[in-house]
Amino acid sequence: DIQTMPGTSKVWVVGRPFASTTREIFYSSDYGNNWTTYDLGVTGDFFAISMIDQQTGYISGQNSKVLKTTNGGQNWAPKTQPSPTNYSLSSLEFINENTGWTFVNFATVPGGNVFKTTDGGNNWVQYTTGGTSENIIAADMVDANTGYCVYNPSNRPVYKTTNGGVNWVPLTTGLTGNIKDVK
């Protein structure tokens, strides 16, 4: 995943480690002309990044891992896992330092594939979209109430929430192929 900070030349990229636990974070302060790499110190692939400002952000990935930075990505601290079961957290959306969501892909989770925090990742509440198989590949939360998600494989409707993820309704798109992202 990649994140830019509007109004700045800063770019962050998160992904698969170069070796077992090295260089999962790439950071550029000059629009991507030069890059610095950071190690997370944990094993696993990371799929999503959500920077709140130039210093504070979150990442999510394999094994239900969520980490937080408060120094622009140089160091990352583990947060409480949304689930004790090891899932792939494919999408992550924070609207401020406290309120965020992470979404599970590659498995249908009993109780739902949507996890929400209102205390910066210390505690999580689980929600379901109501779909029969909730493998969520991408999501975008517009604000504290409104958000969208799409499934993997798609060929299903886009889902929308208007109450912070508590309830989701399917939207008819007319698309019959895979939807890979939503913004």
Side-chain angles (χ1 to χ4, degrees):
D1 195 16
I2 188 167
Q3 171 96 43
T4 60
M5 186 58 53
T8 75
S9 58
K10 298 183 180 211
V11 181
W12 293 264
V13 177
V14 65
R16 175 170 282 157
F18 176 73
S20 63
T21 60
T22 61
R23 294 186 269 181
E24 296 99 326
I25 301 290
F26 283 71
Y27 167 74
S28 174
S29 61
D30 61 1
Y31 298 106
N33 292 312
N34 296 288
W35 294 92
T36 301
T37 58
Y38 299 119
D39 298 339
L40 295 176
V42 295
T43 302
D45 296 350
F46 285 85
F47 306 120
I49 184 167
S50 182
M51 295 298 293
I52 306 308
D53 56 38
Q54 295 182 48
Q55 297 299 311
T56 306
Y58 296 85
I59 59 173
S60 67
Q62 281 183 325
N63 303 319
S64 295
K65 287 190 171 90
V66 176
L67 284 75
K68 178 182 180 181
T69 185
T70 56
N71 62 1
Q74 294 177 41
N75 302 100
W76 295 83
K79 299 306 292 181
T80 303
Q81 290 185 197
S83 170
T85 304
N86 290 331
Y87 293 113
S88 292
L89 305 177
S90 64
S91 192
L92 178 77
E93 291 288 320
F94 272 79
I95 59 164
N96 59 44
E97 189 170 350
N98 293 315
T99 305
W101 298 258
T102 190
F103 303 83
V104 176
N105 192 5
F106 303 121
T108 299
V109 181
N113 284 33
V114 179
F115 293 88
K116 179 182 180 180
T117 183
T118 56
D119 63 2
N122 296 320
N123 296 286
W124 298 86
V125 178
Q126 184 178 16
Y127 299 111
T128 180
T129 63
T132 56
S133 175
E134 295 188 55
N135 303 321
I136 300 169
I137 193 163
D140 186 35
M141 297 302 295
V142 178
D143 56 36
N145 293 310
T146 306
Y148 301 86
C149 70
V150 294
Y151 286 1
N152 173 29
S154 292
N155 217 12
R156 299 184 192 130
V158 173
Y159 281 78
K160 179 181 180 181
T161 183
T162 56
N163 60 5
V166 176
N167 302 103
W168 296 81
V169 296
L171 303 175
T172 303
T173 64
L175 298 174
T176 58
N178 289 335
I179 301 170
K180 299 290 186 183
D181 203 2
V182 60
K183 291 284 181 210

